[in-house]
């Protein structure tokens, strides 16, 4: 990841590239005006020649042929009409400026776009967004390639900051870097293949996090889960050679160590074949991403620990591999969950809810302030919301609003879906307390209803990230979502 720090008001001595903003109509930002002096008018000359420079999405690299100072090139970025800048547009502008700046292969980049505050944002939130965007931009996954001889030489970035903004920008950069670090972990875990990222691997990753940040981490094995009565969770993993685990990682940052914790529960299916209800072959490789809920709660834990937030946070990850075999669950099998409720497994491919329900019962012991579970739970959620919004479900209007706003603030949005009592009808079974599927209508809603039956003891919300956790096609890769949303949510709780 590229290193991002708070810099000074002007490019430091050894800066080779500086990124400055201009507005529609040729108005120069403060940093662009300084660049114009440095280059003896090359910046204003560029905006005069190209009237489109200044529009959102416009960009031009101006070489400093006047050679005043060490800045060899200015990346001039259009920010639209002054006063109209949105956080989304600033994120886009930052991302394309990163591409342009990096193509010049500099060691140090001075970045001033964080001085243009989008509506409703301050110096801290803007610096956080810019720092995080730079971190996201330079993410790459090379763990599974033959190691390159030459290391990637990523540029370092200094964000513009004055005496009066220093405190805010420094705090924002720290937050942005922390979120980017959390997202990096989440993306790495997601991108790792199922033969490497097994339930035990996720457990080891949590233990390593525990060492790094002094967290208490416990990884329960199948014997311990048996004594707890987690037969729903265990039924999913029983046909795999990689036995299931339950990971519990605790960060204790609140002033009062006894404060009720925020609990995040993440679905950790390290590969989902569908089991005996086998999935079709096309694109099945993408089911290595079925542990992205788990990866996102570990990534959020990392970001929160990195920021040293004054909050108690517990990440819980039920993890298993869903395989077909002679000892696998069959359609029609009935299991007893930890809650005592029995489940008729009508489709072994609806396995996420089977591991989550036992984890959701397990977390009752923490007397949580709130529980949010995160899961690549249903293909139906992708049909409903595509790849733009995560699905948000909660019977609690205030909690739903709180999570919606966190998503908006973090540019990692969710959309609320219903949980009416009537949908529960679809989960009725002739033979057990409930079935694990509710038929084709409203598939993501009935999945959430299933989870709701295990979450009566605390305020609860569920995020279905099946459409947002990774990108398919040519740019296939984990997105790191919803770490920004979750981190923003926990920040809010730490202040409240
Ligand atoms: N992991 C899948 C959900 C999924 C599918 C996420 C495609 C992203 C893309 C989940 O375990 C699953 O298989 N769900 C079934 C549920 C059905 C059997 C009720 C589904 O969505 O088809
Ligand atoms: Mn499945
Ligand atoms: Zn699944």
């Amino acid at each position: 990841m590229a290193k991002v720090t708070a810099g000074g008001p002007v490019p430091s001595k050894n800066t080779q590239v500086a990124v400055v903003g201009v507005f529609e109509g040729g108005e120069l930002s403060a940093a662009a005006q300084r660049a114009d002096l440095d280059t003896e008018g090359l910046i204003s000359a560029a905006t005069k020649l190209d009237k489109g420079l200044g529009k959102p999405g416009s960009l031009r690299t101006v070489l400093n042929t006047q050679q005043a100072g060490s800045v060899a090139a200015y990346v001039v970025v259009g920010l639209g009409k002054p006063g109209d800048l949105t956080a989304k547009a600033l994120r886009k502008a930052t991302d394309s400026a990163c591409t342009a700046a990096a193509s010049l292969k500099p060691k140090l980049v001075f970045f001033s776009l964080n001085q243009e505050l989008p509506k409703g944002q301050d110096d801290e939130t803007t610096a956080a967004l810019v720092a995080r965007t730079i971190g996201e931009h330079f993410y790459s996954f090379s763990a599974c390639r033959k190691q390159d001889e030459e290391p990637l030489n990523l540029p370092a970035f200094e964000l513009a900051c004055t005496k009066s903004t220093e405190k805010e920008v420094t705090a924002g950069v720290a937050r942005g870097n922390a979120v980017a670090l959390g997202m990096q972990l989440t993306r790495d875990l997601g991108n790792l293949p199922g033969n490497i990222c097994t339930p035990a691997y996720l457990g080891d990753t949590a233990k390593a996090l525990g060492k790094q940040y002094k967290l208490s981490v416990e990884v329960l094995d199948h014997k311990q889960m048996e004594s707890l009565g987690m037969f729903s969770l265990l039924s999913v993993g029983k046909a795999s050679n990689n036995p299931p685990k339950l990971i519990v990682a605790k960060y204790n940052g609140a002033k009062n160590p006894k404060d009720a914790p925020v609990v995040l529960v993440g679905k950790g299916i390290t590969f989902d074949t569908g089991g005996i209800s086998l999935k079709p072959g096309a694109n099945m490789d993408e089911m290595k991403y079925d542990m992205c809920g788990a990866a996102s709660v570990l990534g959020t834990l990392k970001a929160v620990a990195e920021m040293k937030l004054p909050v108690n946070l517990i990440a819980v990850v039920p993890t298993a591999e869903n395989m077909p075999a002679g000892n696998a669950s069959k359609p029609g099998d009935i299991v007893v969950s930890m809650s005592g409720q029995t489940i008729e497994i009508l489709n072994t491919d609806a396995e996420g809810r089977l591991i989550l329900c036992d984890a959701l019962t397990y977390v009752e012991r923490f007397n949580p302030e709130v529980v949010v579970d995160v899961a690549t739970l249903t293909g139906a959620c992708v049909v409903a919301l595509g790849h733009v919004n995560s699905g948000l479900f909660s019977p609690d209007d205030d909690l739903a609003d709180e999570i919606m706003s966190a998503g908006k603030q973090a540019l990692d949005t969710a959309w609320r879906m219903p949980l009416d009592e009537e949908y529960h009808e679809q989960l009725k079974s002739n033979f057990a307390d409930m079935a694990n599927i509710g038929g084709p209508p409203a598939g993501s809603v009935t999945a959430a209803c299933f989870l709701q039956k295990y979450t009566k003891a605390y305020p609860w919300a569920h995020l279905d990230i099946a459409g947002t956790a990774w990108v398919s096609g040519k740019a296939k890769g984990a997105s790191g979502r919803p770490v920004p949303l979750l981190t923003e949510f926990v920040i809010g709780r730490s202040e409240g």
Side-chain angles (χ1 to χ4, degrees):
M1 237 169 44
K3 192 175 167 223
V4 185
T5 54
V10 295
S12 52
K13 269 203 196 101
N14 43 352
T15 301
Q16 293 131 339
V17 172
V19 176
V20 299
V22 298
F23 296 98
E24 231 167 284
E27 191 184 315
L28 305 188
S29 67
Q33 285 174 29
R34 229 173 290 109
D36 202 39
L37 289 176
D38 260 11
T39 57
E40 296 178 12
L42 290 182
I43 309 291
S44 49
T47 60
K48 272 180 200 127
L49 184 66
D50 178 359
K51 296 276 187 273
L53 187 56
K55 289 220 165 92
S58 64
L59 183 147
R60 180 176 296 273
T61 298
V62 175
L63 296 179
N64 186 6
T65 47
Q66 301 312 113
Q67 292 297 336
S70 69
V71 178
Y74 286 93
V75 172
V76 182
V77 185
L79 297 174
K81 293 200 181 76
D84 269 6
L85 185 63
T86 61
K88 240 189 217 178
L90 181 63
R91 177 171 63 167
K92 263 201 178 152
T94 298
D95 192 57
S96 43
C98 283
T99 308
S103 74
L104 298 161
K105 308 243 156 59
K107 283 207 174 76
L108 183 61
V109 177
F110 177 76
F111 201 94
S112 73
L113 300 189
N114 60 295
Q115 291 183 313
E116 317 308 329
L117 307 185
K119 267 180 262 174
Q121 303 299 316
D122 57 27
D123 280 295
E124 178 173 340
T125 57
T126 307
L129 177 65
V130 166
R132 170 188 134 203
T133 304
I134 296 171
E136 283 182 67
H137 179 93
F138 289 101
Y139 173 81
S140 68
F141 181 78
S142 54
C144 296
R145 295 192 191 280
K146 182 162 163 285
Q147 290 305 300
D148 283 338
E149 314 276 300
E150 282 170 54
L152 275 181
N153 280 317
L154 299 180
F157 284 76
E158 284 181 352
L159 301 202
C161 118
T162 64
K163 271 239 154 63
S164 67
T165 64
E166 192 177 338
K167 228 178 126 191
E168 286 82 5
V169 173
T170 305
V173 166
R175 284 205 167 168
N177 283 340
V179 176
L181 259 182
M183 292 177 84
Q184 180 182 38
L185 172 65
T186 300
R187 293 167 88 175
D188 280 347
L189 289 173
N191 288 330
L192 281 171
N195 61 328
I196 294 174
C197 186
T198 58
Y201 186 94
L202 284 180
D204 291 345
T205 303
K207 280 186 183 154
L209 264 185
K211 269 221 160 117
Q212 190 182 354
Y213 295 100
K214 301 200 172 67
L215 318 173
S216 82
V217 178
E218 243 189 310
V219 180
L220 309 193
D221 63 15
H222 68 277
K223 283 210 180 100
Q224 291 165 292
M225 290 191 276
E226 246 170 53
S227 5
L228 286 163
M230 300 183 149
F231 298 108
S232 180
L233 191 163
L234 288 166
S235 76
V236 175
K238 68 181 179 177
S240 167
N241 291 330
N242 297 303
K245 310 276 179 200
L246 184 77
I247 302 165
V248 183
K250 296 180 186 161
Y251 165 79
N252 251 281
K255 280 211 188 82
N256 182 352
K258 295 233 163 82
D259 274 2
V262 172
V263 176
L264 301 177
V265 178
K267 170 178 173 183
I269 295 294
T270 58
F271 197 86
D272 183 10
T273 65
I276 295 300
S277 312
L278 193 65
K279 285 185 179 296
N283 302 320
M284 207 210 272
D285 66 288
E286 294 192 3
M287 282 299 115
K288 72 175 183 178
Y289 290 118
D290 213 17
M291 34 55 70
C292 281
S296 74
V297 310
L298 293 176
T300 302
L301 183 68
K302 177 162 185 152
V304 167
E306 187 71 29
M307 289 185 281
K308 304 191 172 79
L309 286 183
V311 69
N312 292 334
L313 176 68
I314 305 182
V316 174
V317 170
T319 173
E321 188 181 60
N322 188 20
M323 294 290 281
N327 60 341
S329 287
K330 303 166 291 294
D333 282 3
I334 293 175
V335 295
V336 187
S337 67
M338 184 179 175
S339 72
Q341 301 175 96
T342 61
I343 305 163
E344 185 186 13
I345 302 174
L346 287 173
N347 189 318
T348 65
D349 197 12
E351 84 298 338
R353 59 199 82 177
L354 295 177
I355 65 168
L356 286 166
C357 68
D358 280 342
L360 289 166
T361 301
Y362 180 82
V363 302
E364 284 178 15
R365 67 189 53 211
F366 303 128
N367 292 319
E369 177 181 284
V370 60
V371 177
V372 181
D373 79 75
V374 192
T376 49
L377 201 63
T378 64
C381 191
V382 191
V383 175
L385 297 175
H387 305 288
V388 179
N389 286 296
S390 303
L392 166 63
F393 301 80
S394 179
D396 181 330
D397 292 341
D398 291 337
L399 178 57
D401 288 347
E402 185 184 350
I403 294 175
M404 286 279 288
S405 324
K408 271 190 202 146
Q409 173 65 30
L411 300 184
D412 178 10
T413 51
W415 192 257
R416 190 171 179 192
M417 302 276 283
L419 270 180
D420 304 65
E421 183 54 43
E422 286 84 345
Y423 292 107
H424 279 263
E425 291 292 315
Q426 287 173 239
L427 290 171
K428 288 205 163 136
S429 158
N430 284 350
F431 307 104
D433 296 333
M434 70 194 73
N436 79 325
I437 55 170
S444 67
V445 181
T446 52
C449 285
F450 181 95
L451 301 178
Q452 192 181 15
K453 295 182 189 296
Y454 297 83
T455 55
K456 302 287 188 218
Y458 41 70
W460 162 78
H462 157 63
L463 283 166
D464 193 332
I465 58 166
T468 52
W470 76 94
V471 176
S472 303
K474 240 186 121 192
K476 190 185 286 183
S479 67
R481 292 178 68 181
V483 170
L485 176 155
L486 292 171
T487 309
E488 195 67 42
F489 172 71
V490 179
I491 288 174
R493 287 282 165 156
S494 76
E495 288 164 350

